[in-house]
Each structure stands twice: as structure tokens, then as C-alpha cells.
Amino acid sequence: MELNYEPFKEPRGFLKVLQWLFAICAFATTVNFTATPSGELICNVKGDNGTVANQTIQTVSHIIEYPFDLDHEEAMKTLTPCNRTLDKPLECSLIGNAKSDSQFFVTTGVLTFLFTTGMIAVYLIADRRYTENPRAPVMDFFITLVFAVFWLSGSAAWLNGLSAVTAGSNPRNWQLVLTNKGNNTIAEFCNTLLTGFECGKILEGSFGGLVISILFGFINFILWAANLWFLYKETTWFDGIMKNSSNNPGSSGV
């Protein structure tokens, strides 16, 4: 079986390869992302003279990863501030949820990968049938239009979801639950609810990888939107307009 590489010298074929590549980049940078923000809880034990005689540091950390269902993550129960005996362990839970936004974005990427893989195979193996069938370019045009809309809406939704992820992943916003004291943020606990209990270093984590994934999403939208014009020129609609223009030339003025 002889493969035909001629379609990839045209915009419709070349753009399909770019769409295939950037779709992989978009969903891969999302599902493979991990960050580990953390916060330090410092316990100061004072001596008889009022100075700090002993200091212990407990680190609270959590792995942030796809699908970013933060408020449904299991609460961390490993903390006991200042080694005090409590009725139950100190629980630390996250806030925010970007599961639907991230899954819609990733689903669009996966569907794009599958569709473009199929179309690349068609261009390689059966391009003659594609060009001889007047319905094929029309179907390709409408599917491309759908994917352009999906990439625009998915990227915008994921951009909104990223703000929820960054806010919920900030250790300053994590919710601590202590017996008989309700829900409070780490900042509210420090130096207020427990004597000698204060905050140390806060590491919010880096979310540059997710920003890059959003950029890939908007690049995908541009690629799919641009491809609409080149696919339109392959349809019978464009051929009809060109034939009408050649059969009805503009009359010159007298």
C-alpha cells in the first residue's frame, strides 16, 4: 500500500498534523501536572523565664493533581499541634473544585487526538476518495467547526478553573478543624486559638504548567478556526460561488 504525502503539503493536511501535536500537548500538560504546596506550623514551648525553650515544626503538605477535585480530597489527619492530647487529630482540608472544567478540557484534547489521528490516516491512505466524495469536505468542515467551539469554550472554562485551583491550593486558605473550635484557616489558628502556635514558611506551589496548558488550548482554537477557511475552499459551496462568479462577470460601465 502506497502512502500519499501530498495532502500534507496543503494547509488542510499540514494543519491536521499541528492540531494532533498541540492536542497532545494540551491534555498531557494538564493530566501530568503535580504541585505540592505546604505550610509550616511552629510550636514554641516557653521556659520558666518566658523565653522559647523548645521549638518543633510540623509541615502540612498536599499533592495537587488532576482532576483537581480539591474539596473532595481526603482530609489530612496527621497533625497534633504542640503534641497536645486532643479528642481527635487536627484535620486539614482543601477548598475549591475545578474537576468539571479540567475534565472538559482534557476530553476535548483526547477527542481531538482521536479525530486528527483518523483524518491523518485518511489523508495518507484514501485521499483520492476524500477529494472525489463531495460530502467528505463538508463533514470535515462541520466537525472542525465543532472542535473550534469546544477548544474556545474549554480553554475559557479551564482558565476560570485555574483560578479556583490556585486559590484552593494556597496553604493560607486550607481549613483546619480542631475539636470544639470549628473550621478555621491556618492563619486564624496562628497566635490566636492556640497559645504558642504560629505559622512558618508558606510554599504555594508553582502552577506554570497549567498556565502553559491553557496557552496550548487557545493555540488549538486558533488552529481549528484557521482551518475552517481552507476546508471551506474544498467544499461544493465554494466551487458553486466560483462558478457563478466566472459565469456572471461584472458588466463594464458605458
Side-chain angles (χ1 to χ4, degrees):
M1 181 177 55
E2 184 178 355
L3 300 180
N4 181 16
Y5 295 97
E6 290 300 319
F8 301 101
K9 298 178 182 179
E10 303 174 7
R12 63 183 174 95
F14 178 70
L15 286 174
K16 277 291 186 296
V17 175
L18 291 180
Q19 291 164 353
W20 178 84
L21 176 62
F22 279 97
I24 295 176
C25 294
F27 72 77
T29 51
T30 304
V31 300
N32 292 324
F33 173 84
T34 57
T36 309
S38 62
E40 290 182 349
L41 305 178
I42 302 175
C43 176
N44 295 317
V45 179
K46 295 184 178 181
D48 297 335
N49 57 0
T51 61
V52 177
N54 186 23
Q55 184 182 79
T56 58
I57 300 176
Q58 297 170 322
T59 301
V60 194
S61 63
H62 195 85
I63 298 176
I64 308 298
E65 58 188 355
Y66 179 82
F68 310 103
D69 194 10
L70 303 183
D71 57 2
H72 286 74
E73 295 281 350
E74 184 178 358
M76 296 167 280
K77 303 179 181 180
T78 57
L79 297 176
T80 303
C82 296
N83 296 320
R84 301 185 183 192
T85 302
L86 304 175
D87 295 337
K88 64 177 182 178
L90 180 66
E91 297 182 358
C92 183
S93 58
L94 280 63
I95 61 172
N97 193 313
K99 181 179 179 179
S100 60
D101 296 331
S102 63
Q103 287 184 332
F104 178 53
F105 183 80
V106 170
T107 300
T108 301
V110 173
L111 291 176
T112 298
F113 167 75
L114 295 175
F115 174 71
T116 51
T117 301
M119 290 305 301
I120 289 173
V122 170
Y123 290 165
L124 284 171
I125 301 171
D127 184 60
R128 178 176 296 180
R129 294 184 180 180
Y130 175 90
T131 54
E132 291 177 352
N133 185 351
R135 294 183 180 180
V138 174
M139 293 177 60
D140 198 357
F141 176 86
F142 279 114
I143 294 175
T144 299
L145 177 62
V146 171
F147 273 109
V149 174
F150 271 39
W151 275 115
L152 178 60
S153 55
S155 300
W158 183 216
L159 178 61
N160 178 70
L162 178 58
S163 63
V165 172
T166 54
S169 301
N170 190 332
R172 295 180 180 85
N173 297 326
W174 291 354
Q175 298 292 305
L176 297 179
V177 182
L178 187 61
T179 306
N180 299 325
K181 293 187 181 297
N183 290 11
N184 297 271
T185 63
I186 289 180
E188 291 171 338
F189 266 90
C190 294
N191 295 321
T192 55
L193 298 179
L194 293 175
T195 304
F197 187 56
E198 62 185 49
C199 290
K201 185 188 301 181
I202 298 293
L203 298 177
E204 299 181 9
S206 175
F207 294 89
L210 295 184
V211 174
I212 292 174
S213 73
I214 294 174
L215 292 177
F216 281 135
F218 284 108
I219 290 174
N220 273 287
F221 163 69
I222 294 173
L223 291 174
W224 285 88
N227 203 22
L228 287 172
W229 168 248
F230 299 107
L231 291 175
Y232 172 72
K233 293 175 67 175
E234 301 286 336
T235 64
T236 53
W237 309 326
F238 184 79
D239 290 340
I241 293 175
M242 295 303 295
K243 289 179 181 179
N244 290 335
S245 299
S246 60
N247 293 333
N248 299 295
S251 57
S252 58
V254 179

